[in-house]
Amino acid sequence: MHNKAPQNSATRKILSNPARQAFAPQTPGPKATPAAPAAPVESTSPAKPRGKDSVQSKPPKRKSVQPVQNSGQRGPEVADVLILGAGAAGLMCAREAASKGLSVVLLERGPVPGRKLAVSGGGKANFTNRAVSPKDYRCDGSRGNAFCAPALKGFTPEHMLRLVQEWNLPFEERTHGQLFLTVSAQRLVRALTDDCRKHGCVIACGTTVTAVEALADGFSVQTEGGSWHGKALVLALGSPAWPQAGGGGAGYRLAEELGHNIIAPRAVLAPLRLNSDSPLLDLTGISLPVGVTLGQHCWEDDLLFTHEGLSGPAALKASLYWAEGAAITLNFLPEQDVAALMDAPQAGKQTPRALLARLLPQRLVDTLLPEETARRKVAELSRAARVAIVEAVQRHAVTPQATAGLKKAEACSGGVNTDEVDPKTMRSLLQKNLFVVGELLDVTGLLGGYNLHWAWASGMAAARELARSATARAAAPATD
């Protein structure tokens, strides 16, 4: 079933006390902070370089993140990699890059890392799906969803499962291959942040980025508390969806400032609102499995009628492909042949209303069936009347008025145009040493663990490229 975004007092409860307690540093060490910080910063001192046994592919020796001294004043912090946004993609990228010997600074606007991840999946984190493929995603760039293929191939559900098992996090498989934790999603955030700290990554929370400047040797990031400097920059700032859990549009602005084009964002994986005169609004509370057809897309899942319209997984999936004015076709008996039911000899003396009430809620049957035929015996109905009943039950067309908006959306389509990003590495094709990952890209998956998996896969792809590039630079012969 659809896991609704937390609201009101419940939101404040989830996102304040338990989250802060879960993500508080276990053993605070010396902090690496920018000049005159104006917001609370959570950070960890870089770890010492590891021994040879723990180094893979001879990565460059990790460099400590140290302030630059300039005329007695503390200058911007220096790191191999600056990552903006400590959501799922940012944390995975930081974890992997730091584990390969790179010095990493992760800047997060919110009070704690992984706020959206901590409350995802109803607090249990639908962290991946058994069957993940490009066809489960929508991308509006010229490559379409083929853009996703290299990253998804490089980091599969099996890779994520191995990590979850290494972290000793119990999980379960639900319908449609969805994999959920059986413990709090905060445990997953804790595992990621602990790994980041173990590898020396600095996590600075309460750090709002105000500007980014591309320099000859990297990037300068201005925050309300000071400046940071990195040789490479990763934008992992997510989308405006689910603002109660930290969603915002800052990433779009920064990407545009760095030369990228933004495909207009819109709420997806959101309930669908119907016109006020729709008879389906009288069915509030009814839930049942349905078949859905929208253009070339078809699926079966649970539908929930609400006082505003349609919700549940079937409707949320439809919102990913729905455009204003488009009709959605619903099949309320996807496993039945209604025409054959009415043609059966034993059905002749029954009314369509009674016949279908064995299979569907009575309120739904009364709403769907034409009044002039609902209470007549099936044997008395013309072929045209029977076809009309089949149309009403198994090819029921409904045109939504709108989605329920970003506050109730689990994701947001649109974002950085994928034509401007290398699909194998998430490296910008427009700006040197810039990477874009996660939901900030114009990549949106279906409901069911696909969007979290894209966060893992894209973050991992960027981190591997960052490590590869650093290794190549270290191996390159010195030039005068």
Side-chain angles (χ1 to χ4, degrees), residues 379-468:
E380 299 173 356
L381 299 178
S382 65
R383 178 55 57 186
R386 295 187 186 197
V387 169
I389 291 172
V390 172
E391 290 288 321
V393 176
Q394 296 199 292
R395 290 188 288 274
H396 189 92
V398 56
T399 302
Q401 180 189 55
T403 68
L406 290 170
K407 286 188 176 181
K408 294 186 178 181
E410 296 198 6
C412 183
S413 72
V416 174
N417 192 328
T418 55
D419 290 345
E420 302 168 354
V421 176
D422 186 324
K424 294 181 180 179
T425 64
M426 304 299 120
R427 182 188 288 274
S428 168
L429 300 175
L430 306 181
Q431 183 67 250
K432 182 180 178 182
N433 294 327
L434 174 67
F435 296 77
V436 187
V437 298
E439 199 178 345
L440 183 56
L441 283 163
D442 176 35
V443 177
T444 313
L446 287 167
L447 191 72
Y450 301 102
N451 286 296
L452 265 183
H453 192 85
W454 173 249
W456 312 134
S458 59
M460 184 66 74
R464 288 169 174 167
E465 174 63 9
L466 285 161
R468 186 203 64 77

Side-chain angles (χ1 to χ4, degrees), residues 5 45 59 73 81 85 127 160 188 194 197 217 220 239 272 293 319 347-348 382 385-386 423 435 441 454 461:
S45 300
Q73 300 295 320
V81 185
F127 61 88
M160 189 60 197
L188 177 56
D194 282 354
R197 295 189 184 101
D217 60 346
S220 175
S239 79
L272 297 168
T293 302
S319 71
S382 65
R386 295 187 186 197
F435 296 77
L441 283 163
W454 173 249

Side-chain angles (χ1 to χ4, degrees), residues 280-352:
L280 299 182
L281 294 178
D282 295 329
L283 303 176
T284 300
I286 292 178
S287 177
L288 75 166
V290 300
V292 181
T293 302
L294 180 54
Q296 62 182 349
H297 305 284
C298 302
W299 60 90
E300 292 183 17
D301 217 321
D302 294 329
L303 180 72
L304 172 66
F305 292 97
T306 73
H307 68 285
E308 290 188 331
L310 308 176
S311 190
L316 269 61
K317 290 178 181 179
S319 71
L320 178 58
Y321 303 112
W322 179 76
E324 186 175 357
I328 297 170
T329 302
L330 302 176
N331 183 350
F332 293 105
L333 288 173
E335 305 300 325
Q336 299 286 338
D337 184 337
V338 173
L341 287 175
M342 290 190 290
D343 287 342
Q346 62 271 27
K349 294 182 179 181
Q350 300 181 60
T351 65

